[in-house]
Amino acid sequence: MENALPFFVAIPLGAAFFIPLVSLTLKWVPDLLANAVMAVLAAMAFLTIGQAGFYHMGGWGTHLGIDLRLDGLTTLMLVTINTIGLAMAIFSVQYMTKYTSKLRYYSLFLCLIAGLNGIVLTGDLFNLYIFMEIVAISSYALVAFGCEHDELEAAFKYAVLGTVASAFILIGIALLYAMLGTLNMAEMAVKLAAGGMNMPLTVALGLFLCGFGLKAALVPFHAWLPDAHPAAPAPVSAMLSGVVIKTAGIYVLSRLIFNVFTVQLVPDLFSILRLFGVVSMIVGGILALGQWDMKRLLAYSSISQIGYIVVGLGLGTPLGLTGALFHMLNHSVFKSLLFLNAGAVEYATGSRDLRHLGGLSRNLPFTANMSLLGSMAISGIPPFNGFWSKLIIVLACIESGHPWLALAAVAMSLVTLVAVLKMLKRAFYEEHKPLTVHATEVPVLMRAAMLLLATLCVVLALLVLTGLRTPFLIAPAVDALSTWAGTAPGQGMGI
Amino acid sequence: MVYALCLVLIAIGLYGVVVKKNVVKIVISLAIIEYGINVLLVLIGYRSGGCAPILQQGMTAATLVANSVDPLPQALVLTAIMINLGMLILMVAICIRLYERYGTFDITEMRRLKG
Amino acid sequence: MNDRTQHEGMDLVAKAIAGWLKGFILLFGVYLVLHSHETPGGGFAGGIIIACAFILFTLAEGQHAGMKLLSKHAAAKLASVGALIFLGAAIASACRKGALGADHAGILLFLEKNAMSLYDLALALVVSMLIYVVFSVTSAVHVTVKDGQRKMFRQRRT
């Protein structure tokens, strides 16, 4: 399996460059190619479950070359990215016909996938920065894809803040390299454990917190997200909200905090994370209540859900990590589903303003049901996956002696319920508005993508049956976070 | 001391991003931040009196390692420059499109989105 | 149409000198690319210089002549081809180095021996074409001064 690791980046990148070569008359080729690539990648991601290993790029050793590493957390992220990506590719086939240039869309989309896979696979900090920039540049372009007022303005805001974040991260990397003399994360962890913290390293950690906090849209740094995510085409919003902020923000942050800077070095780190988390949770949730744009409401609720994940990480206990990672997986599924619903509504009616919508459950019964299911999952109604991950986070809060955090998590769950009920009621129930009278159900492939994600919402709840404390797929990821530190990579492939 | 100058450069860029109202000036400020970081990166690998990290004739690997500057930050800077190039191109393109839509470069007049 | 093309671009002197120079610049760029394995950053610098030849021509002769020589879409496609060569060479040499186990001969061996030159060639192709595309996309805008106000227009395609 280790030999297949580079192909997680190579296949989407190759397809991304191949698509512009396709003649404009063969319109079905990009659709087919993008879907085939995503299906292959998703299958490959599922094959990595339970595996671990290293791939040394070009056959150089760890100290000289670039490592790709596969462990539990990487597997979890790969499965998330590529499964959601597959659903988005299926959705895009018919949704993107209303935009002009499908070729460029698929090119950028596949570049995004390549960058995301690269971020989770690489074991090298600078390489991670490069992949992060690939993700960033393609997502700026995708946000600006519509080329209208809102899109351009949002993309500019996103690009400026994103570039500043990348700049912070690069300064942090430079400081780490200056202090430790290596860029490999495992070697960094060993040297940090031996040498302890000092002033420049603390500054670097602070810069990383700001930079990745901005990428993850934690609350003091969240201003770009509610503009950028609604402006993109629906599948891209779903990808950005569901996967990108988690991969480029939360995943890297947790890797750095748990695997590179270990807790023994920075005792206050966890309380900082908890503070960020709880503030994001509350502010995002409350701001979501006042929104009238469907996608904007969902974007604010993303901030709130990211807060849950960060609170879980900030507890630092195995149960907290389990909850956080489980919620990360769940949130990417149901938030993507809800964004696709919003996209379907926009496709059918041409608007996503809740004041102009209403009664769509009669026109779009399938979308309405999917939306109901996604809303129940996000607000934590029992049989669905969102309930279980929130339950685990709340239990972890109580277990580690933070009852107020648990209370806040439960309360914000209710606020989320109110926000999504407002969306459901205004869009799908109530009376018809002029805009919605003649709306018809969306095409079959869009429905198929929604059905795929909705099925996942139910299936992921079954993960709890494999043990509340050690769910399948999540437990290895938690192990990776808590035991990785200090273990230098062995002689993996050695080609 | 020289490191402080890099930080000054970065701070000037940040100041520009925060204060300037013209989108093109914001893009230029972002470029200044990146230049500051690149200089910082090169300085990290610098060794006073060091030679270029290229193996010359009649030089063993050991003497090269003992005398040359650190090549890794230079490679990093080259990569970072490429990335910044892509970023700048994209942002300039967005600026042009913004000008087409709004007829101005002033960011205070682009107020469709709130929050 | 004829009228427009004659008035496009710079004046006669610039056109004549650009016509002379562009071949030499192109030649120098190709030279740098071919010797790129011996000079640091050869493929990249060579690519930039090749792009400069095209940009000089476009500046001197005007947008339409430039687009006729090498259109934006063709350049973008060439850049994609370059990127694909880059990726193909990487995968081929990874396979050659034993990821697939067997000892390959023929094309893969050739690729491995010439991997660096191939990378540089592909890099030069990508860089030159991308820089040219960027130039032609961002320069397709006219700034005119009208009633004391600057106005920017996107040039219409012909």
Side-chain angles (χ1 to χ4, degrees):
Chain A
M1 198 62 216
E2 288 97 10
N3 289 332
L5 292 184
F7 288 96
F8 275 107
V9 182
I11 292 176
L13 216 51
F17 292 127
F18 182 73
I19 284 176
L21 297 178
V22 177
S23 152
L24 284 172
T25 49
L26 296 172
K27 283 194 187 306
W28 52 272
V29 173
D31 287 333
L32 188 71
L33 193 63
N35 279 290
V37 163
M38 287 320 301
V40 168
L41 284 178
M44 276 167 62
F46 277 104
L47 285 180
T48 64
I49 292 177
Q51 309 233 13
F54 295 94
Y55 179 86
H56 300 288
M57 295 295 282
W60 299 96
T62 298
H63 189 65
L64 294 172
I66 295 166
D67 276 357
L68 300 184
R69 63 156 63 221
L70 181 67
D71 60 14
L73 184 58
T74 309
T75 302
L76 173 67
M77 295 308 295
L78 279 178
V79 169
T80 315
I81 294 166
N82 294 306
T83 316
I84 305 289
L86 175 63
M88 296 313 129
I90 296 173
F91 191 83
S92 303
V93 173
Q94 282 166 332
Y95 181 79
M96 290 309 290
T97 45
K98 69 175 193 153
Y99 289 87
T100 45
S101 180
K102 247 185 177 179
L103 289 181
R104 279 177 224 167
Y105 166 75
Y106 278 125
S107 268
L108 288 168
F109 181 77
L110 288 169
C111 276
L112 185 72
I113 297 284
L116 288 170
N117 283 340
I119 288 181
V120 297
L121 277 171
T122 185
D124 178 287
L125 203 52
F126 189 76
N127 226 22
L128 191 147
Y129 170 78
I130 294 168
F131 283 122
M132 213 173 60
E133 291 301 281
I134 294 177
V135 169
I137 294 180
S138 41
S139 53
Y140 305 152
L142 282 170
V143 169
F145 200 75
C147 264
E148 283 308 318
H149 295 81
D150 291 2
E151 281 93 341
L152 290 167
E153 200 183 323
F156 189 76
K157 199 171 181 179
Y158 182 21
V160 170
L161 289 176
T163 312
V164 171
S166 308
F168 281 177
I169 292 163
L170 191 54
I171 302 172
I173 292 173
L175 286 174
L176 274 188
Y177 180 72
M179 288 297 121
L180 303 176
T182 177
L183 284 171
N184 187 288
M185 290 198 272
E187 288 187 7
M188 265 181 193
V190 174
K191 290 195 177 174
L192 269 171
M197 289 297 281
N198 54 20
M199 189 60 198
L201 289 176
T202 318
V203 173
L205 183 61
L207 288 168
F208 282 140
L209 271 181
C210 291
F212 291 114
L214 219 156
K215 295 262 175 195
L218 294 178
V219 146
F221 316 114
H222 70 288
W224 58 272
L225 185 139
D227 290 339
H229 287 189
V236 180
S237 317
M239 205 66 201
L240 287 176
S241 231
V243 181
V244 172
I245 51 173
K246 295 189 188 64
T247 310
I250 303 291
Y251 164 82
V252 188
L253 208 53
S254 52
R255 265 276 192 254
L256 284 173
I257 286 173
F258 287 94
N259 294 158
V260 180
F261 294 94
T262 40
V263 197
Q264 292 81 17
L265 293 173
V266 200
D268 294 336
L269 203 53
F270 279 165
S271 45
I272 298 172
L273 272 188
R274 282 197 298 268
L275 184 67
F276 269 137
V278 77
V279 172
S280 310
M281 198 157 84
I282 293 171
V283 173
I286 289 175
L287 286 177
L289 283 176
Q291 301 304 318
W292 289 102
D293 182 331
M294 260 176 113
K295 276 187 177 176
R296 216 174 155 83
L297 188 149
L298 293 173
Y300 272 113
S301 111
S302 278
I303 298 175
S304 166
Q305 304 297 318
I306 286 286
Y308 277 94
I309 298 171
V310 175
V311 165
L313 289 177
L315 292 172
T317 58
L319 193 64
L321 286 179
T322 309
L325 295 177
F326 195 18
H327 199 62
M328 182 150 79
L329 176 61
N330 290 341
H331 179 247
S332 40
V333 174
F334 52 63
K335 189 46 68 69
S336 316
L337 175 60
L338 287 171
F339 266 112
L340 291 193
N341 293 144
V345 168
E346 196 183 3
Y347 184 90
T349 63
S351 168
R352 44 173 210 259
D353 190 332
L354 292 174
R355 280 165 293 202
H356 301 147
L357 295 174
L360 283 174
S361 63
R362 274 151 282 174
N363 308 60
L364 289 77
F366 186 84
T367 310
N369 288 335
M370 291 297 122
S371 200
L372 183 63
L373 197 150
S375 307
M376 288 201 285
I378 197 174
S379 43
I381 307 284
F384 297 106
N385 56 359
F387 170 72
W388 297 106
S389 48
K390 283 186 180 178
L391 180 70
I392 294 175
I393 291 177
V394 170
L395 283 180
C397 285
I398 295 171
E399 193 185 65
S400 55
H402 297 93
W404 290 107
L405 284 182
L407 192 66
V410 175
M412 290 326 290
S413 188
L414 286 177
V415 174
T416 309
L417 180 64
V418 174
V420 290
L421 277 184
K422 168 187 169 184
M423 184 188 85
L424 280 180
K425 175 168 166 285
R426 292 279 180 164
F428 293 108
Y429 300 108
E430 282 199 346
E431 289 304 304
H432 271 125
K433 301 268 169 61
L435 211 54
T436 58
V437 176
H438 299 294
T440 49
E441 184 61 278
V442 292
V444 60
L445 282 178
M446 286 165 71
R447 276 184 281 166
M450 287 191 266
L451 188 64
L452 173 63
L453 290 174
T455 318
L456 280 178
C457 275
V458 180
V459 170
L460 284 178
L462 299 180
L463 284 187
V464 179
L465 294 182
T466 57
L468 192 64
R469 279 167 192 278
T470 54
F472 174 69
L473 195 65
I474 313 289
V478 175
D479 285 346
L481 274 185
S482 42
T483 60
W484 196 62
T487 54
Q491 295 303 311
M493 268 298 297
I495 21 171
Chain B
M1 185 57 218
V2 197
Y3 292 98
L5 286 180
C6 301
L7 294 181
V8 169
L9 203 56
I10 295 168
I12 291 172
L14 271 178
Y15 169 82
V17 171
V18 175
V19 170
K20 290 295 172 194
K21 298 278 186 283
N22 187 321
V23 284
V24 180
K25 284 184 183 166
I26 291 177
V27 175
I28 293 171
S29 309
L30 286 175
I32 291 174
I33 297 181
E34 303 288 354
Y35 299 149
I37 296 171
N38 289 345
V39 176
L40 183 69
L41 266 172
V42 172
L43 273 178
I44 283 169
Y46 180 71
R47 168 191 286 176
S48 60
C51 66
I54 298 173
L55 197 58
Q56 308 283 348
Q57 236 165 15
M59 187 191 263
T60 63
T63 50
L64 180 75
V65 169
N67 289 317
S68 74
V69 298
D70 188 352
L72 188 63
Q74 302 183 356
L76 302 190
V77 167
L78 270 181
T79 319
I81 289 173
M82 288 305 98
I83 293 171
N84 298 340
L85 177 74
M87 193 77 77
L88 279 185
I89 288 167
L90 189 74
M91 295 194 64
V92 169
I94 292 178
C95 288
I96 291 174
R97 290 296 178 96
L98 273 174
Y99 188 91
E100 279 180 359
R101 293 282 179 274
Y102 287 92
T104 173
F105 280 128
D106 192 344
I107 198 141
T108 52
E109 288 174 31
M110 301 170 193
R111 281 285 167 203
R112 282 288 202 86
L113 303 173
K114 42 190 188 307
Chain C
M1 179 65 200
N2 246 342
D3 233 324
R4 277 189 71 187
T5 43
Q6 271 172 7
H7 289 296
E8 261 206 349
M10 301 185 178
D11 60 14
L12 192 64
V13 181
K15 277 187 186 176
I17 292 178
W20 271 88
L21 274 181
K22 69 169 195 281
F24 289 111
I25 296 177
L26 208 59
L27 197 63
F28 182 56
V30 172
Y31 164 80
L32 272 187
V33 173
L34 290 182
H35 287 258
S36 53
H37 54 291
E38 291 164 353
T39 49
F44 186 80
I48 294 271
I49 290 171
I50 291 174
C52 285
F54 283 107
I55 290 175
L56 180 75
F57 179 77
T58 313
L59 279 178
E61 301 280 340
Q63 201 93 46
H64 296 287
M67 284 295 118
K68 217 185 259 177
L69 185 70
L70 180 66
S71 81
K72 255 184 286 188
H73 299 285
K77 283 189 178 179
L78 279 175
S80 298
V81 170
L84 279 179
I85 295 176
F86 210 104
L87 198 67
I91 292 175
S93 59
C95 294
R96 162 80 189 124
K97 283 193 174 154
L100 294 184
D103 188 25
H104 297 284
I107 181 88
L108 286 180
L109 190 65
F110 171 80
L111 280 176
E112 191 206 345
K113 278 190 173 164
N114 298 291
M116 277 322 283
S117 325
L118 199 66
Y119 286 151
D120 275 317
L121 215 64
L123 183 64
L125 194 60
V126 174
V127 168
S128 57
M129 290 305 131
L130 278 188
I131 296 282
Y132 179 69
V133 169
V134 166
F135 165 78
S136 50
V137 168
T138 49
S139 69
V141 171
H142 276 212
V143 179
T144 56
V145 181
K146 206 174 190 181
D147 309 330
Q149 277 190 321
R150 279 194 311 160
K151 290 267 174 189
M152 209 161 76
F153 298 104
R154 183 162 282 265
Q155 201 167 53
R156 247 184 247 123
R157 288 220 190 92
T158 47

